[in-house]
């Protein structure tokens, strides 16, 4: 039996992970803003479900809950940073408060969770971090700039931290799902105040999708299958740094990386031309 700590377990990937892990006999420390969403699982699985109310943007509470979970459960094998939401609209349409909240939820809270859990994982001789990132941390679309800022940001954080943590037997996996059938696109998002200047562009188009005037984006991802793939990856002895999930995610990442590599190769001579004269040309 392994023990998991998961944020944002009231719906979507967090809920599917919690359900599947309890079903297979693991123990889950599930955190959520609304604890009653877990009542049915508590009734079914008893002590194997440990629960704590947590808004991940409350850093003091986050540290307290992480400390209490390790103290009460003894050992936690996998820590999953999952809580998050999308902020949509052109950058100019967003309020300062919407931007701060998006960064605090999707980016800063994940960093604080990592920092709060790391000493415990080191003390117990190792463990695993799973970050629910997004294909939106590898590619970018208009009208989602702040969401992309959080997901590209958390990719950079973990790629660096993974190398710091490897000597302690702590693995890191960045999960990069494509569009999936959770509450993410159906109401649990925030959107800026529309400005007429953007009405005919991608931001206006997104609003028309949300209002039902235009068909929504295809959502190929099955959250239950995505949760199962995350669990299977954490069962592997070596953590894969990235887990790209969904046919859309795979196609988007492949095209984006090919384009970037082609642009990089085209810019080789220019890049080398800016070295100081005493640098040996290679
Ligand atoms: N679905 C997709 O297409 C997709 C694709 C790529 C990545 N993702 C990522 O997947 C993660 C999970 O989202 P989901 O798709 O499963 O959507 P979801 O069904 O809306 O679930 C999001 C979860 O995050 C929680 N949450 C949001 N803000 C929180 C806060 N401040 N404190 C604590 N919990 C908070 C929500 O809690 P409440 O119920 O209290 O709001 C909910 O439990 C997110 O990080 C998202 O960016 C989703």
């Amino acid at each position: 039996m392994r023990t998991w700590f998961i944020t944002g377990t009231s719906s979507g990937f967090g809920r599917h992970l919690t359900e599947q892990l309890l079903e297979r006999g693991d123990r889950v420390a599930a955190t959520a803003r609304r604890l009653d969403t877990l009542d049915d699982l508590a009734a079914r699985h008893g002590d194997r479900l440990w629960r704590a109310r947590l808004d991940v943007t409350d850093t003091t509470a986050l540290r307290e809950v992480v400390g209490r979970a390790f103290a009460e459960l003894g050992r936690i094998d996998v820590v999953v940073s999952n809580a998050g939401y999308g902020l949509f609209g052109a950058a100019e349409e967003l309020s300062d408060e919407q931007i701060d909240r998006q960064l605090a939820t999707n980016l800063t809270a994940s960093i604080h969770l990592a920092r709060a859990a790391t000493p415990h994982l080191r003390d117990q001789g190792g463990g695993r971090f799973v970050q629910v990132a997004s294909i939106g941390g590898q590619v970018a679309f208009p009208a989602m700039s702040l969401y992309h800022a959080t997901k590209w940001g958390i990719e950079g954080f973990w790629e660096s931290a993974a190398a710091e943590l490897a000597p302690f037997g702590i693995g890191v996996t960045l999960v990069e799902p494509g569009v999936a059938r959770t509450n993410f696109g159906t109401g649990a998002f925030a959107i800026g105040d529309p400005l007429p200047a953007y009405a005919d562009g991608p931001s206006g188009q997104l609003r028309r999708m949300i209002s039902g005037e235009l068909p929504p984006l295809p959502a190929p991802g099955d959250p239950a299958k995505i949760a199962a793939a995350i669990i299977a990856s954490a069962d592997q002895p070596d953590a894969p740094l990235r887990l790209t999930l969904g046919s859309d995610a795979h196609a988007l990442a492949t095209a984006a990386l090919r384009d970037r590599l082609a642009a990089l190769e085209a810019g080789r001579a220019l890049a080398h031309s800016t070295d100081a004269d005493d640098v040996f040309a290679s």
Side-chain angles (χ1 to χ4, degrees):
M1 180 178 74
R2 302 217 298 160
T3 303
W4 295 58
F5 179 100
I6 308 174
T7 63
T9 57
S10 66
S11 69
F13 300 141
R15 167 76 192 201
H16 281 282
L17 282 168
T18 305
E19 270 178 24
Q20 290 181 25
L21 288 165
L22 290 170
E23 210 55 59
R24 78 171 192 171
D26 279 3
R27 195 162 56 153
V28 181
T31 72
R33 288 191 288 200
R34 294 170 296 126
L35 276 192
D36 59 335
T37 57
L38 298 164
D39 284 351
D40 59 325
L41 296 180
R44 213 175 318 147
H45 299 286
D47 283 353
R48 281 192 299 105
L49 177 64
W50 183 98
R51 288 191 281 177
R53 188 180 312 283
L54 179 63
D55 178 330
V56 295
T57 62
D58 181 341
T59 307
T60 307
L62 187 148
R63 287 193 174 280
E64 187 274 322
V65 166
V66 168
R68 191 152 45 88
F70 276 94
E72 291 179 16
L73 298 172
R75 178 185 173 87
I76 294 176
D77 302 285
V78 187
V79 176
V80 185
S81 181
N82 165 72
Y85 70 98
L87 173 59
F88 304 137
E92 195 187 344
E93 294 176 317
L94 307 175
S95 70
D96 293 355
E97 199 227 331
Q98 284 179 318
I99 290 173
D100 288 346
R101 195 166 153 258
Q102 174 80 138
L103 293 169
T105 308
N106 291 13
L107 179 61
T108 317
S110 293
I111 293 169
H112 285 311
L113 175 59
R115 285 162 37 76
T118 292
H120 299 284
L121 297 184
R122 271 199 299 105
D123 284 351
Q124 70 185 23
R128 187 74 66 91
F129 280 111
V130 173
Q131 173 68 49
V132 181
S134 172
I135 192 58
Q138 289 288 320
V139 301
F141 297 101
M144 292 181 68
S145 58
L146 262 295
Y147 182 71
H148 289 307
T150 66
K151 295 298 184 179
W152 283 66
I154 204 62
E155 291 253 346
F157 168 79
W158 277 120
E159 194 157 330
S160 170
E164 296 170 3
L165 297 174
F168 307 117
I170 301 172
V172 172
T173 296
L174 284 155
V175 182
E176 298 168 340
V179 185
R181 299 172 192 183
T182 66
N183 291 346
F184 181 83
T186 57
F189 54 77
I191 189 157
D193 282 340
L195 286 176
Y198 294 94
D200 296 329
S203 178
Q205 204 177 357
L206 196 70
R207 281 172 212 285
R208 289 194 285 284
M209 279 183 193
I210 289 167
S211 71
E213 215 180 301
L214 288 176
L217 282 179
D222 177 336
K225 290 185 182 175
I226 288 170
I230 293 171
I231 294 169
S233 82
D235 287 344
Q236 293 171 26
D238 294 322
L241 180 60
R242 290 194 166 78
L243 205 60
T244 305
L245 299 174
S247 55
D248 55 343
H250 196 270
L252 285 166
T254 304
L257 290 173
R258 282 196 179 126
D259 285 354
R260 286 184 72 183
L261 187 57
L264 199 59
E265 278 165 354
R268 187 174 191 279
L270 174 64
H272 284 242
S273 73
T274 58
D275 286 356
D277 289 344
D278 60 354
V279 176
F280 181 72
S282 59

